[in-house]
């Protein structure tokens, strides 16, 4: 019984059976965590609980996922480019777009 419980936990942690977790992709909540860590000091976003003032207030500008991906890659104005890349950039962009309801 104990082995089957451990296997069940391993499958859950691996995302097996969870339609929201793709193999090799970010775990749910990863976009928010990455946003807070890499973007929240400069950007305001209510859903992330951040109140930065150096960058755009994302609650007001309401960027789309594509807008966020472009900003991450290009680093407009004082923002450094490529703060996050690959699946992490996708996760941040998806989180922001969802948070601002775009």
């Amino acid at each position: 019984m104990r082995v089957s419980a451990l296997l069940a936990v391993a499958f859950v942690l691996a995302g097996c059976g969870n339609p929201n977790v793709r193999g090799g992709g970010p775990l749910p909540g990863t976009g928010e965590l990455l946003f807070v860590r890499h973007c929240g000091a400069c950007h305001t976003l209510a859903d992330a609980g951040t109140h930065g003032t150096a960058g755009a207030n994302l609650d007001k500008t309401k960027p789309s996922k594509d807008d966020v991906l472009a900003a991450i890659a290009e680093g407009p104005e004082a923002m450094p480019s490529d703060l996050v890349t690959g699946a992490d950039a996708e996760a941040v962009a998806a989180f922001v777009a969802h948070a601002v309801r775009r």
Side-chain angles (χ1 to χ4, degrees), residues 1 9 13-14 17 20 22 26 33 35 42 49 51 66 68-70 74 79 89 94 96 98:
M1 185 70 152
V9 169
L13 291 175
N20 297 317
R22 296 171 296 168
L33 295 172
F35 177 86
C42 293
H51 304 285
D66 288 340
V68 176
L69 285 171
E74 297 166 11
M79 182 175 154
V96 171
H98 175 75

Side-chain angles (χ1 to χ4, degrees), residues 35-36 38-44 50-57 78-80 83:
F35 177 86
V36 170
H38 296 284
C39 314
C42 293
H43 293 283
T44 294
T50 61
H51 304 285
T53 58
N57 178 331
M79 182 175 154
L83 282 172

Side-chain angles (χ1 to χ4, degrees), residues 5 10 17 19 45 48 69 72 84 94 96 100 102:
L45 185 61
L69 285 171
I72 290 170
V84 290
V96 171
V100 299
R102 291 273 324 243

